[in-house]
Amino acid sequence: MRNLHFRRTARTSVLGGAALVAALALTACQGGDTAAADNAAGSAPQKPAAGTSAAPASDSTKTDGSGTSASGSGSDTAKESGSATRAPAAKKPQDSDTGSGSLPTCTGANTKLTITSVQRPVNHMLLTVTNTGSKACNAFYYPFLKFGEAQSVPPVVEDSKPQAVVTISPGESAYAGVTTSSADGSGTGGYSTQDLAVGFQDRNSGAAGGMVDVPLGKDVYVDSTLTVTYWQSEMDNALMY
């Protein structure tokens, strides 16, 4: 009887231990499945929240290396503003020589030329041009002179260049000083002549009209120091060189 009770007790203990082992195994499996599920959930990509876009940033909001936004719409605005502030086309310059740009050039056709000797400075003559026309004319640069059979015109005194082109009103005159020879006899190739021809220049330094014969009235001696001034509006300015 006692042996039978012992066997029942031992069987009960074995069954209880087996049940406990099974329960622990089941718990361990559930814990492993839970951990695996958690790991799987952590590695899965997150879905974007509702109302948000996963599209990449557009080119219009790209930034440059300095982090400054380079908006495409800003470029368009810059282009539009650039065209709106473009500098106006340059205006055609006015004729600085004539003021109005409509005055004719002084030539032998609208003027009269005379030349006279002066006492001072020595070996000087005064060339006078008078406007005989009905409109003012421009006396450009200096007169071309040809004494006798000379093959070239004398050089101009550059220091005599006026600040503006000389304009001669109808009936008014302009002047040019002529140094015929050196006062100390240092000139060379001298000769005497009673013939003088005078020519005018246009605004481009070319000949304006033909040469005009100007009577000298007497022999005039010229040498290699022969020079002429620019046209001057005042007589004294023409004779100071």
Side-chain angles (χ1 to χ4, degrees), residues 34-183:
T34 301
D38 292 340
N39 292 335
S43 61
Q46 296 295 324
K47 293 183 179 180
T52 61
S53 174
S58 64
D59 292 341
S60 62
T61 58
K62 290 182 180 179
T63 58
D64 55 21
S66 62
T68 303
S69 174
S71 173
S73 61
S75 300
D76 294 339
T77 303
K79 292 179 181 179
E80 293 175 1
S81 62
S83 61
T85 59
R86 183 178 300 171
K91 296 181 179 180
K92 183 178 179 181
Q94 294 182 350
D95 190 336
S96 60
D97 292 332
T98 65
S100 64
S102 61
L103 297 180
T105 299
C106 296
T107 65
N110 55 9
T111 64
K112 178 182 179 180
L113 290 163
T114 59
I115 190 168
T116 56
S117 297
V118 295
Q119 293 183 347
R120 294 185 180 277
V122 297
N123 301 339
H124 274 62
M125 301 187 78
L126 180 68
L127 180 65
T128 302
V129 55
T130 302
N131 185 347
T132 59
S134 59
K135 294 182 62 176
C137 64
N138 286 324
F140 292 104
Y141 308 109
Y142 56 92
F144 291 145
L145 305 182
K146 183 182 178 183
F147 282 90
E149 300 299 323
Q151 299 300 310
S152 61
V153 298
V156 67
V157 180
E158 289 295 342
D159 289 344
S160 66
K161 185 175 183 179
Q163 294 183 350
V165 173
V166 175
T167 299
I168 310 174
S169 299
E172 300 297 325
S173 300
Y175 310 91
V178 181
T179 301
T180 56
S181 59
S182 62

Side-chain angles (χ1 to χ4, degrees), residues 15 20 25 27 55 57 77 113 119 122 136 141 149 164 194 219 235 237:
L15 290 175
L20 179 58
T27 300
T77 303
L113 290 163
Q119 293 183 347
V122 297
Y141 308 109
E149 300 299 323
Q194 292 187 7
D219 285 343
M235 182 187 304
N237 292 338

Side-chain angles (χ1 to χ4, degrees), residues 182-210:
S182 62
D184 58 5
S186 60
T188 60
Y191 61 94
S192 296
T193 183
Q194 292 187 7
D195 298 324
L196 171 65
V198 178
F200 293 89
Q201 297 188 62
D202 60 21
R203 69 178 60 254
N204 298 316
S205 302

